[in-house]
Structures are given as structure tokens and as C-alpha cells.
Amino acid sequence: LYRPDRGEILLNNKKTDILSPQDSAAMGIGMVHQHFRLSEKHTAYENIIIGYNKLPFIPNKNKLIEDITGIMDKFGLTVDLKSKVFELSISEEQKVEIIKVLINNPKIMIFDEPTAVLSSKETQQLFEVLVLLKKSGYSIVFISHKLDEVMKISDRITILSKGRSVDTFKTSEVTKEILAEKMIGRKILFNINKNPVYHNEDILNIKNATAYNDKGIKVLNNITLNVKKGEIIGIAGVSGNGQIELAEVLFGLRKMVCDSYAIKGQFIIHPTPGKIMRNGVRLIPADRKTMGSAVGLNIPDNLILNRFKHFYFSSKFLLKSKVIKKKAVDSTVKFNIKHTDIKNPVRDLSGGNLQKVIVAREIESNPEILIAVYPTRGLDVGAIENLHKIFIEEQKLGKTIILISEELEEIFNISDRVAVIFKGEILKVWDRNNINENEIALAMGGVVND
């Protein structure tokens, strides 16, 4: 995809020029991209064969399906080949991407942030696939910010920082604390000292809410949630148990039926994003590309998407370009957003830096309530630590944060209360001083001990 300006690439100890992805594939190198390269309106089968290097002019469909099924059976990659991509789950889409690579019989496979959009269970299933690939003789490059996963799956670890190779270790001879310090250049606090914050006043209440997903399946089942003013409440759960839909109904993005929905004591009838935002609520969405940003616009434009009409940024019908640019420069410094040119479209940013743009926009909109869905997804350990500190500082200013995450360590670190959602229901809520990790883990599987 890119050409080196200098240096050389050695493949089997021979200097190699790789001029295109086609060259790379022909040399036995395959890549599973972080952002999947699939056609949503085509079937899984069609997406797989379109990248097949040896596809004959007149394909034998039965033979191709037989070959693909053989790959699926060997590596445990079960996918309905007749389903269109938009009908598949995220983990199934990833399986299609892996099969697309495997059908060309590569020797080296590159996985770019493969667990960024997967639940813990799906991640474990992926790791089982990687182990099978390794046993079958494939060499795997596993690119990730998640130190626990790198420590679990790899044999050797190379650390990159600011485009440079810093060091290489045998995994058995290093700790995640050493890796983090090498990556960031300083020690990282994995556990933030935070005193619990208790408030009596409710700022958001929803009672007996029911909602359906895009396929018409019930995903929220009479859910009731009371959020206290000035707290950080963590919502924990295994992926697919209604977390995203809960955020959407709270922000007015998804229709629901409920007994009542109130913000700051005011009942919200037929909630819409406009009504919710006027009540001081902001959302960091789960999908940063299709919902969280306008990828064709630059960083300054994305940072004012939800407040371009504010008198600070506009005067009557004209935007204040200099003010917007200065604010964008300040935000990129505060949130450490790395970019080549602030005027470039945000599609050019890495996933982590695009996430920082979205987080910066929503926090700097000065919300009273921030709904944060997987806010640290794609961020490195230094950026995660910084964001957690920002959340705590916002809380000190009286802000309320609803933190939806599948990372239990993150939830335990900064939450004042932890609620577990399972099959669209809040099963139980724990205060910070009586959080029991085993109980919460069981509750995420649907088991609650009274």
C-alpha cells in the first residue's frame, strides 16, 4: 500500500521490491485489515472469491465452495457463505476477511488491530484460530495496542514508537509494565487511585424501556436505570447484550417503549437527538467512522460538528475560520491527536487518532451527561491513561459519565458504580466499595447471587 523511501525488505533473506498489494499477495503475504475491506451488498462467498488470485475465467462454483469449506473446517471459521455481508456480525465479517487471505495460500499473515471490534469471547475464538494457523506453519504479525493480548498470543514482541522500532523482546522475558514504558517513554499507571463519589440526586432515569435492533429482535427488555448526578457509572457486559442499543435509546437514536424517561427531572416525550442534546447530553458512539465522524471533512470541521451554530464559532451565516482553527490546534495538543496536516480529511488518521477527535469534540462540548461507548477502543496505553484522567477531571467539575465498555479493568478503575447488562436487562448494580470481580464476571454470563 506504501512504498519505502529508503531501506530494504528481505523475504527469505533475499532483497525484495514490493510494488503493490498484488505483488505482496503473489509473494505469500496476506493482510487482515483493521477496517474490513468488504462489499456489504455482496455475499460472503462473493467477497472471498473476488480476491482469489487463481480464479479461473469461468469459475466452478461448486469446486470453489468446496475449497472454501475446507478452509473453514480446518481453522474453525464458520460463516454462512450465502449471507450478504451486512447481515453478518462483526466477528463473522472478520472471518470472511481471514478466509479471503487464506484462499490465496499465504506464508505470512498480518493482522492489524484484529481485536479492536471484538468482544472478549470473540477475541478468544480468534486466538484459537491464530494458534491453529501457527501450528499449520503460518508466520503471523499481530499488531495491537492491547498489552495483555500481545503477552498472551505472541512469541516475540517488537515495540514501535513514533514510527521507529524501539526494541524487541522474547515474550517470556518481559512484562507489560516494561512494554508500556518503552512504548510511551514513561511509566504508566495501570491502576488510577480514585476515591468513590456518592451522590443522592438522580440526573437521568429510565424505567421499563424496551427496544428492538435493526433486525426486529428485542434487545432491551424492560430495562430500568437510575444515574446519579456527578458519578461515573460503568455498564459492563458481553458484546451483543444491548449495550449499544441502550446508548442509542438514551440519546434518542433508537425508538423505544418505556414507562418514563427523565433528564434532570424533566420527562422526555418522544426523545430525539436534538431534544437530548438540548438537555446537556452528548454521545461518544461505538462506530467512529459511520456515526462518530464525517470522514471527508478535516479535523477542525469534525471538532465543531455538534456546535457550529454556536456564536463562538459562527457569526450569522459565516463561520469564524481563525477561531475554529485555533480551537482545533488547542484540542490536538490537549488530546495528543497526531496528524500530518490539520486540513487533511480525518479518513487519513489512524483509528486511534480519529477516536481522539471524537472524544475531544464531545468532551469540549461541555456536556452535563456524557455517554461514552467503548471510548478507549483503538487507543494505546498512554492515551487510555490520559483519557481516564480527563474523565475524572470532568467528574470533579460535576459532570456525569455513563461508561459502556467491555474492558473490565477500565470499568473497575474509574467507575463509582458498576451495572451489568445481560440480554437487555440490568441484572445488578454494585457500589465501588463492594465491587466483586468474580460476581460481575458471573453476572455477565447471566448468573447473579443475591
Side-chain angles (χ1 to χ4, degrees), residues 24 50 63 95 134 140 167 173 178 180 211 255 295 311 325 328 348 378 396:
S24 182
I50 201 168
K63 177 65 167 62
K95 290 175 183 177
K134 176 185 170 182
I140 297 170
D167 214 333
E173 298 175 355
I178 293 173
K255 290 182 179 180
V295 294
F311 68 88
K325 182 178 180 182
D348 294 345
K396 289 178 181 177

Side-chain angles (χ1 to χ4, degrees), residues 223-267:
I223 200 165
T224 294
L225 181 66
N226 301 313
V227 179
K228 304 293 182 182
K229 180 177 173 59
E231 75 169 341
I232 299 176
I233 181 168
I235 310 292
V238 176
S239 177
N241 276 277
Q243 299 96 311
I244 293 175
E245 290 82 3
L246 173 61
E248 290 173 347
V249 300
L250 292 178
F251 198 65
L253 285 166
R254 184 174 295 277
K255 290 182 179 180
M256 65 172 167
V257 176
C258 67
D259 290 350
S260 65
Y261 181 25
I263 300 174
K264 296 180 290 184
Q266 300 294 316
F267 289 101

Side-chain angles (χ1 to χ4, degrees), residues 32 36 38 44 48 68 71-72 75-81 88-103 109 111 114 118 121-122 125-126 129:
V32 178
F36 306 144
L38 301 173
I48 291 167
I68 294 169
I71 292 171
M72 292 196 295
F75 296 107
L77 298 165
T78 305
V79 178
D80 181 0
L81 296 177
L88 302 177
S89 68
I90 293 293
S91 63
E92 287 172 328
E93 288 185 35
Q94 186 178 71
K95 290 175 183 177
V96 174
E97 284 278 15
I98 295 172
I99 297 166
K100 266 178 63 180
V101 174
L102 288 174
I103 198 171
M109 294 186 68
F111 287 80
L118 301 182
K121 182 179 179 181
E122 290 166 341
Q125 290 171 346
L126 173 64
V129 172

Side-chain angles (χ1 to χ4, degrees), residues 327-337 360 363-364 386 390 394:
K327 183 64 177 174
V329 170
D330 293 343
S331 296
T332 57
V333 173
K334 178 180 177 180
F335 290 87
N336 193 26
I337 301 168
I363 288 179
E364 294 192 333
N386 185 52
I390 289 172
E394 290 295 304

Side-chain angles (χ1 to χ4, degrees), residues 156-212:
R156 291 187 304 130
I157 300 170
T158 290
I159 298 165
L160 299 180
S161 180
K162 298 179 181 178
R164 295 179 181 273
S165 176
V166 176
D167 214 333
T168 297
F169 300 94
K170 287 183 178 179
T171 306
S172 59
E173 298 175 355
V174 74
T175 64
K176 73 174 186 178
E177 287 76 15
I178 293 173
L179 295 179
E181 189 172 351
K182 289 278 187 179
M183 286 169 63
I184 310 302
R186 59 179 174 80
K187 289 187 181 296
I188 295 295
L189 296 175
F190 285 97
N191 294 301
I192 295 175
N193 291 323
K194 177 184 182 297
N195 294 322
V197 177
Y198 299 107
H199 296 274
N200 293 322
E201 179 186 351
D202 286 350
I203 193 171
L204 183 149
N205 307 86
I206 192 166
K207 185 177 180 182
N208 293 335
T210 297
Y212 296 81

Side-chain angles (χ1 to χ4, degrees), residues 298-300 303 325 328-330 332 339-345:
N298 60 28
I299 292 175
L303 286 170
K325 182 178 180 182
V329 170
D330 293 343
T332 57
H339 59 89
T340 53
D341 189 331
I342 205 168
K343 297 178 183 177
N344 288 348

